[in-house]
Amino acid sequence: MLHWHLITGEYPPQKGGVSDYTRIVALELAAAGDQVEVWAPSSGAPDANDGGVAVHRLPGRFGPRALATLDSALSRSPGRILVQYVPHAFGFKAMNFPFVFWLYARRRRLDISVMFHEVVFPMGWSRPLAHNLLGASTRMMAAITARAARRVFVSTSSWERYLRRWMPQGRPIVCLPMPSNIPVIEDREAIETVRRRYRAGAGPMVGHFGTYGAGIVRMLDEILQPLLDQVPEASMIFIGRASEGYRDRLLGRCPRLNGRLQAIGALPERDVSAHISACDLMLQPYPDGISTRRASAMAGLSHGVPIATTAGHLTESLWAASGSVATSPVTELEAMASLAAGLLKDEAARSRLGIAGRKLYEDRFHVRHTVGALRRCG
């Protein structure tokens, strides 16, 4: 039996992808027989009753009081530390140098592993000075954190090119793709109820699952109208937090789509599963391209729903090699609309994509692979 201390910037009931991921991994480690403790900032709400997982709330956001609390607890009860690393999750406007120096100072005394969900903030000549300052700071923080860790994990192999230059030569970097944070619920009656309620007639239904951040919304804006024009019998359903606000803004710009756009907001996992399964196609564009760090894409794959998405600078080669998703370059959104329209008219192609996607998920992305890799690392 292993003893784990998971350090994270968010944990349910706090919302967020890292929050959901940490809970999934914590529960799976506990189910494998390990002792699991989670350390996260105060949420202001009651914690879920996750059997086998002890949740400790820290004062503040990884400032001096929180670090002193961690120091004391880890000295009394040592074990494997697994940091869920996202720069902005630890407060200090994504520049929490005290936290990363705290890790580095304890690298010989504590058994530290780091899971890098994100590594750096983008920087470049065309970006504002404040963005470049943040970009430089996050690079320094990631370098310090990587050197503090005995084991380094990444959510996408694309992060390796940053981390490799900062780490001791020969130290391995292991890719742990994101599992889906939505369990598959096989409830045919619930799925059919969703289809009857939200489909526009007998036409196909397209879904999008996410949190509707600015970058993805800009892409959806350019894709949806030409897609729905090309397939006039199709309808669209938006799933996830902020989906209702996005639908309303889109209808304000394009009222002729009234009746063809639906949104369900945030729902319990069981209901989200039914809505994803009810879709004929998931439309999941990403500004940096699909990658193994995208849990929203994993939800569609795990449910066997075909996915139309974008290929960009973070897209790994496995997507094309597996034939598990249909992709168009991030710079060619009109082509993305045509690609999705073609799939809506080709049921056999959708079926092949769905089967390939679900196989890839089970073979590579399921949380059991994550936990197996964590427990095997000595």
Side-chain angles (χ1 to χ4, degrees):
M1 181 182 76
L2 299 173
H3 183 184
W4 296 90
H5 294 280
L6 275 57
I7 299 176
T8 178
E10 56 188 33
Y11 194 81
Q14 293 158 327
K15 305 295 185 183
V18 174
S19 173
D20 294 339
Y21 171 86
T22 306
R23 179 173 183 263
I24 291 167
V25 170
L27 289 171
E28 195 75 9
L29 287 170
D34 291 348
Q35 181 179 352
V36 183
E37 299 184 62
V38 174
W39 300 88
S42 178
S43 68
D47 289 313
N49 184 19
D50 288 340
V53 178
V55 180
H56 308 286
R57 294 294 176 177
L58 295 167
R61 292 193 64 80
F62 294 92
R65 291 176 58 212
L67 297 182
T69 301
L70 274 173
D71 245 347
S72 176
L74 296 177
S75 296
R76 293 193 310 270
S77 180
R80 284 193 179 184
I81 296 168
L82 180 58
V83 179
Q84 305 298 322
Y85 185 86
V86 181
H88 64 263
F90 299 105
F92 290 68
K93 298 183 178 179
M95 294 183 287
N96 192 341
F97 282 96
F99 174 65
V100 299
F101 280 122
W102 178 86
L103 286 174
Y104 185 76
R106 287 150 184 79
R107 67 192 184 281
R108 294 188 177 92
R109 178 165 62 88
L110 300 178
D111 185 0
I112 300 172
S113 300
V114 179
M115 171 62 175
F116 282 92
H117 295 268
E118 297 177 9
V119 177
V120 298
F121 189 82
M123 58 189 300
W125 294 110
S126 62
R127 293 181 176 272
L129 177 61
H131 286 192
N132 285 330
L133 175 61
L134 182 57
S137 297
T138 54
R139 280 160 175 77
M140 293 175 62
M141 287 174 56
I144 295 165
T145 303
R147 291 172 185 168
R150 295 185 187 179
R151 307 169 200 86
V152 169
F153 304 99
V154 290
S155 58
T156 168
S157 58
S158 298
W159 296 147
E160 289 189 32
R161 67 176 181 264
Y162 295 103
L163 296 170
R164 181 62 64 194
R165 70 187 78 161
W166 301 326
M167 292 172 55
Q169 190 172 4
R171 184 170 296 177
I173 297 175
V174 177
C175 184
L176 295 182
M178 293 292 98
S180 170
N181 54 17
I182 303 298
V184 179
I185 306 298
E186 302 286 356
D187 187 339
R188 299 309 306 173
E189 182 178 347
I191 294 168
E192 289 303 320
T193 298
V194 171
R195 286 176 175 158
R196 288 193 300 269
R197 181 175 181 182
Y198 291 115
R199 266 183 169 170
M205 187 165 70
V206 184
H208 175 81
F209 176 50
T211 55
Y212 301 86
I216 290 176
V217 160
R218 283 194 293 270
M219 301 180 83
L220 288 172
D221 285 347
E222 293 191 43
I223 296 168
L224 286 176
Q225 292 187 47
L227 166 60
L228 295 175
D229 285 344
Q230 292 179 58
V231 190
E233 67 275 20
S235 54
M236 183 82 200
I237 184 167
F238 302 113
I239 306 166
R241 296 191 305 274
S243 61
E244 293 162 311
Y246 175 63
R247 175 207 55 197
D248 293 344
R249 291 193 300 274
L250 189 58
L251 283 175
R253 293 194 304 272
C254 196
R256 63 187 176 81
L257 295 178
N258 190 32
R260 299 178 65 190
L261 303 180
Q262 306 290 341
I264 62 169
L267 292 176
E269 292 174 349
R270 184 180 188 89
D271 295 330
V272 172
S273 175
H275 285 75
I276 291 173
S277 291
C279 294
D280 298 286
L281 178 71
M282 296 300 292
L283 183 67
Q284 299 290 148
Y286 302 106
D288 47 17
I290 189 172
S291 68
T292 58
R293 64 186 284 264
R294 293 294 186 175
S296 53
M298 298 300 172
L301 293 175
S302 66
H303 283 74
V305 180
I307 295 176
T309 185
T310 46
H313 70 277
L314 289 189
T315 298
E316 304 93 348
S317 60
L318 66 88
W319 299 103
S322 64
S324 56
V325 295
T327 62
S328 180
V330 294
T331 55
E332 300 178 16
L333 297 183
E334 287 187 13
M336 178 87 214
S338 296
L339 172 70
L343 287 169
L344 291 178
K345 298 172 183 176
D346 190 337
E347 185 175 350
R350 295 201 309 273
S351 177
R352 289 192 297 271
L353 271 184
I355 292 169
R358 188 158 196 171
K359 183 178 188 305
L360 180 67
Y361 183 84
E362 292 295 326
D363 290 347
R364 298 283 297 273
F365 304 149
H366 193 282
V367 68
R368 65 175 173 270
H369 301 299
T370 303
V371 167
L374 289 172
R375 301 183 86 239
R376 285 192 301 270
C377 287

